[in-house]
Amino acid sequence: MVASLSELGGLTKDIQGYIGQVDERGRLFEQSFCTELKVEMSDYYKLVADIESRLFKTPRTLRPGESPLGVTLRRMFNWTIEARQKLRLMATAIAKVQEGKGGGDILSTISTLVDDGDPFIHSFAQRLLKTASAPFNEILVRWVTDGELADPYREFFIREREGRRDMFWSEKYIVASDMIPVHINREMTRKIFQIGRSLNFLRVACDDAEWVTSDGPRTQIVEGSDLSDPSHLESFVYRSSSMVNARLMSVLKEKFGLMGHIMAMRRYLLFEQGDFALALMEVLDNQSDRSGKNIMAHDLSAVLSSAVRSSNAQYENEEHVSAMLLTFGEENSKNKGWDDVSLMYSLSAPLSYVVPKIALRQYVEVSQFMIRLKRVEHKLQSIWRRQMTEARSYLRSEELQRRKTPVANGGDMGAHGSDDSMRQAMRQSAIACSEMVQFFHQVQRYISLNVIEGAWGEFLETTGPVEASDAKTGDAREIDIDKWNEAHSKYIGVIHEVVCGGGSSGGMGFQRNLSGIFDTAFQFINAVKEMYSERTLSSRRGTASSSSPSPSERVQQYRNTLAGGSASASRHASSVSAVVARFKEQVRNIMR
């Protein structure tokens, strides 16, 4: 009995010492917790004062065997039973709070006492929790109604990152998981976090503070509801989440044209706009004789402007056109050339805060591959047109030469061999060129129809408006920026994985698989150009020797031209054959 009564003094000393420490630190959650401790201690002091007042008073009625003294050990023990239980509970709560990390962890600690089956402990812990939750609820309400974080001591489970105030969406705020109270589940935490930063984004980045103030979540607070009650808080959070997310997505799409920019990147960076791609390739071919060292920033800008003016892109939204920039894919590359250029897209605020930089980088890498693919196909088509023209010209000139020049019997077998070699080289190069054009065209069709169109359809299905059937069945989708970003990152990620490789599958992608084929195609283009250029020069030398040669001179001239052309035709035929064989072998290796 004496030990139990003496325990009161030790408990009181410990509680008072903790309250004094908290008053010095000044943290809101601990101060609020101590407010209820002070109320309970005030009741205890009243009890002590009442006991002291009875020390020298004899009770009015005495039972048989009772002492006439006003206060005895037994009476003190009986009078302090409830007070002793409260002091012990307070000391236990203090010890657990001191073991924790403070902030929201204090509420989790007290919540464990609320779940106790003892009615006395449950009732006492509820009072502690209600008082200690006051600053938490105040910060929470301000966060989910105004998007403002009033947390001077960083005790709330949402925190503002230092030095990231200009990163309005992705990195400005974080969730401190160890500060989340136990009565707030994971989905509730995500929605609270989403509501607050969406409101902050609307106010600061989108200049929509008027809606937040007049039509925001504050209008969803039902009169008489107590947001400190978990059930009321959950209902309010779910109503506010739908409202805020719908407003933010509406502002981004309608006021700032989010989807318009995404569609522009699809048309121009992924080269789904055919006339723009053709115009750009033609301008790049006209500039192909310039080396990388002589290519300046204004040259790239002039190329892009010329392509825009030469295509339907000139009727595009001016904001979309000005956001495009032609640049080199690798800025630090020493051997810069027209094959290394890529298109990039620059988003302005607030869209630049929403679309992550890694997604824009993936667009650039895909565009670099697509430009190279388009350039190879365009050059091969140009070579094919030249082949057809040269073939017809060669056949006409050969027929005319035969009619004009009499050939001795059996004297020009070498000339006929030269004709056969040249015909064979021209025919083989024409067939190979057609096969290459078909191959690269099929690669483009696969990327465009199977990859880009498929990923785009899935992206629109995920982020598009709710269908009427979904609304009737109650399966309406709630799209917020994070879900939209996830769908968009998946969309461009799938395209980037197929084109550039990497990703979850670890594949090489078209960029690595076709790297050697691109080099072979350019070698083929150069070989064919050389063959036709030399043939044209030989023909011109043969026709420009004299204005009116005699019949014998024409015979000798024809023989000399064909004799020299025999070796040249054989050399070009073997060069083209080697390149074609290498191309077919590379294609077979890919198909395996």
Side-chain angles (χ1 to χ4, degrees):
M1 190 180 299
V2 174
S4 297
L5 292 173
S6 301
E7 183 186 4
L8 296 173
L11 293 173
T12 302
K13 182 179 179 181
D14 293 341
I15 295 171
Q16 287 290 2
Y18 173 74
I19 292 175
Q21 293 176 3
V22 171
D23 289 339
E24 291 178 2
R25 288 197 294 264
R27 293 182 178 177
L28 294 178
F29 285 29
E30 288 183 315
Q31 282 185 347
S32 183
F33 171 60
C34 288
T35 299
E36 184 61 27
L37 297 181
K38 290 177 182 179
V39 172
E40 296 295 337
M41 290 303 295
S42 178
D43 293 340
Y44 172 71
Y45 292 145
K46 290 178 182 179
L47 175 62
V48 172
D50 183 60
I51 293 174
E52 287 181 346
S53 67
R54 298 184 184 188
L55 281 174
F56 304 105
K57 292 182 180 180
T58 302
R60 295 179 181 179
T61 59
L62 292 174
R63 295 178 181 179
E66 279 190 323
S67 172
L69 297 176
V71 177
T72 63
L73 289 176
R74 186 171 296 279
R75 286 173 182 166
M76 288 180 61
F77 181 82
N78 293 333
W79 290 338
T80 57
I81 289 177
E82 183 177 345
R84 187 163 47 253
Q85 288 180 333
K86 289 183 178 180
L87 292 177
R88 286 174 179 172
L89 282 174
M90 287 190 284
T92 301
I94 289 172
K96 290 185 176 180
V97 167
Q98 289 178 324
E99 291 174 359
K101 300 180 179 180
D105 191 45
I106 294 177
L107 306 184
S108 299
T109 301
I110 302 175
S111 295
T112 59
L113 298 176
V114 174
D115 296 334
D116 195 285
D118 189 329
F120 176 80
I121 297 176
H122 175 77
S123 176
F124 179 76
Q126 267 194 329
R127 293 198 302 272
L128 276 180
L129 181 60
K130 184 175 182 180
T131 306
S133 301
F136 174 85
N137 294 331
E138 183 178 346
I139 297 174
L140 176 61
V141 170
R142 190 168 179 183
W143 172 254
V144 297
T145 56
D146 298 325
E148 296 178 354
L149 187 59
D151 183 24
Y153 299 105
R154 298 174 67 84
E155 298 175 285
F156 197 55
F157 66 86
I158 297 173
R159 293 177 179 174
E160 183 176 357
R161 298 180 66 179
E162 297 181 359
R164 301 296 180 93
R165 293 190 174 185
D166 56 334
M167 304 298 292
F168 289 106
W169 184 255
S170 60
E171 300 180 3
K172 185 176 182 179
Y173 297 104
I174 59 172
V175 175
S177 57
D178 54 347
M179 293 294 179
I180 302 175
V182 294
H183 65 276
I184 298 181
N185 57 38
R186 179 178 299 179
E187 180 62 19
M188 180 75 68
T189 300
R190 192 190 72 82
K191 286 187 176 293
I192 291 173
F193 178 66
Q194 194 77 4
I195 291 172
R197 66 174 181 161
S198 296
L199 291 172
N200 182 272
F201 194 80
L202 283 169
R203 285 193 306 104
V204 181
C206 300
D207 195 22
D208 199 25
E210 183 179 352
W211 180 88
V212 175
T213 304
S214 59
D215 302 318
R218 283 195 179 275
T219 60
Q220 297 297 309
I221 299 178
V222 180
E223 186 177 356
S225 63
D226 183 10
L227 295 184
S228 61
D229 186 341
S231 61
H232 292 173
L233 175 63
E234 182 176 1
S235 176
F236 169 76
V237 166
Y238 275 85
R239 291 196 308 271
S240 301
S241 176
S242 301
M243 169 195 289
V244 174
N245 289 331
R247 175 64 181 182
L248 181 54
M249 292 306 301
S250 174
V251 169
L252 290 176
K253 290 180 178 180
E254 297 176 9
K255 182 178 180 180
F256 296 100
L258 174 61
M259 289 304 296
H261 285 284
I262 299 300
M263 287 189 285
M265 285 191 281
R266 173 175 174 257
R267 286 195 298 270
Y268 301 114
L269 270 66
L270 304 183
F271 289 92
E272 291 293 282
Q273 184 86 9
D275 59 333
F276 170 77
L278 179 61
L280 182 61
M281 295 308 108
E282 290 177 350
V283 178
L284 288 176
D285 277 354
N286 294 335
Q287 300 287 334
S288 60
D289 57 336
R290 300 182 59 182
S291 62
K293 295 181 180 179
N294 299 325
I295 303 175
M296 302 300 175
H298 64 271
D299 297 322
L300 297 174
S301 178
V303 167
L304 181 59
S305 298
S306 178
V308 170
R309 291 194 302 270
S310 302
S311 64
N312 284 330
Q314 62 183 309
Y315 306 112
E316 183 68 63
N317 189 320
E318 181 63 29
E319 186 179 1
H320 299 164
V321 175
S322 61
M324 290 191 294
L325 179 65
L326 192 65
T327 182
F328 288 105
E330 297 181 3
E331 293 295 335
N332 297 326
S333 177
K334 294 182 180 180
N335 300 321
K336 295 179 180 179
W338 293 109
D339 291 330
D340 301 316
V341 297
S342 59
L343 273 172
M344 66 179 297
Y345 201 91
S346 177
L347 291 172
S348 57
L351 300 183
S352 57
Y353 304 133
V354 175
V355 182
K357 293 181 180 179
I358 186 173
L360 296 177
R361 180 60 187 170
Q362 288 176 330
Y363 275 106
V364 173
E365 292 176 357
V366 173
S367 75
Q368 185 175 8
F369 171 82
M370 295 300 294
I371 286 178
R372 196 173 190 195
L373 180 61
K374 291 282 187 180
R375 286 203 69 196
V376 170
E377 185 188 24
H378 187 264
K379 284 179 175 291
L380 287 171
Q381 289 175 344
S382 299
I383 286 294
W384 183 84
R385 288 193 295 270
R386 182 175 178 181
Q387 285 177 324
M388 297 300 101
T389 302
E390 291 285 351
R392 288 191 293 269
S393 175
Y394 178 80
L395 293 175
R396 284 197 300 268
S397 62
E398 184 183 52
E399 183 64 24
L400 290 174
Q401 195 69 21
R402 284 179 178 175
R403 291 180 180 179
K404 291 180 180 180
T405 306
V407 180
N409 292 332
D412 289 311
M413 296 301 294
H416 289 292
S418 174
D419 292 344
D420 293 339
S421 298
M422 180 59 69
R423 287 197 195 95
Q424 182 180 1
M426 294 173 63
R427 182 174 179 274
Q428 186 178 21
S429 65
I431 294 174
C433 185
S434 299
E435 291 177 350
M436 290 184 180
V437 170
Q438 179 69 9
F439 173 79
F440 289 116
H441 184 64
Q442 290 300 323
V443 171
Q444 278 193 71
R445 285 177 61 86
Y446 176 81
I447 294 175
S448 177
L449 300 180
N450 292 50
V451 181
I452 297 178
E453 284 296 331
W456 178 256
E458 186 176 348
F459 170 64
L460 291 182
E461 183 179 356
T462 305
T463 62
V466 180
E467 299 293 339
S469 58
D470 294 336
K472 291 179 181 179
T473 57
D475 296 331
R477 300 186 303 270
E478 181 182 334
I479 301 298
D480 54 36
I481 291 185
D482 284 339
K483 290 182 179 179
W484 185 92
N485 247 331
E486 182 181 352
H488 177 251
S489 297
K490 181 180 178 181
Y491 154 69
I492 185 59
V494 168
I495 300 172
H496 183 269
E497 182 177 350
V498 173
V499 172
C500 301
S504 58
S505 64
M508 296 180 62
F510 281 112
Q511 188 173 33
R512 296 182 183 179
N513 284 325
L514 299 186
S515 177
I517 295 182
F518 281 147
D519 296 337
T520 302
F522 281 118
Q523 292 174 8
F524 172 79
I525 292 169
N526 293 332
V528 172
K529 282 183 177 180
E530 183 180 353
M531 179 178 68
Y532 284 117
S533 297
E534 186 168 336
R535 196 199 72 81
T536 302
L537 289 176
S538 299
S539 176
R540 288 178 179 177
R541 284 196 299 267
T543 56
S545 58
S546 62
S547 57
S548 56
S550 63
S552 59
E553 289 176 345
R554 285 200 302 270
V555 171
Q556 186 63 35
Q557 185 182 71
Y558 179 65
R559 289 175 176 175
N560 293 338
T561 300
L562 293 182
S566 177
S568 176
S570 299
R571 177 169 55 84
H572 287 303
S574 61
S575 175
V576 171
S577 298
V579 175
V580 171
R582 192 183 313 121
F583 170 78
K584 292 181 177 180
E585 179 65 24
Q586 289 172 335
V587 173
R588 282 195 295 268
N589 291 336
I590 292 177
M591 300 301 293
R592 287 173 183 171

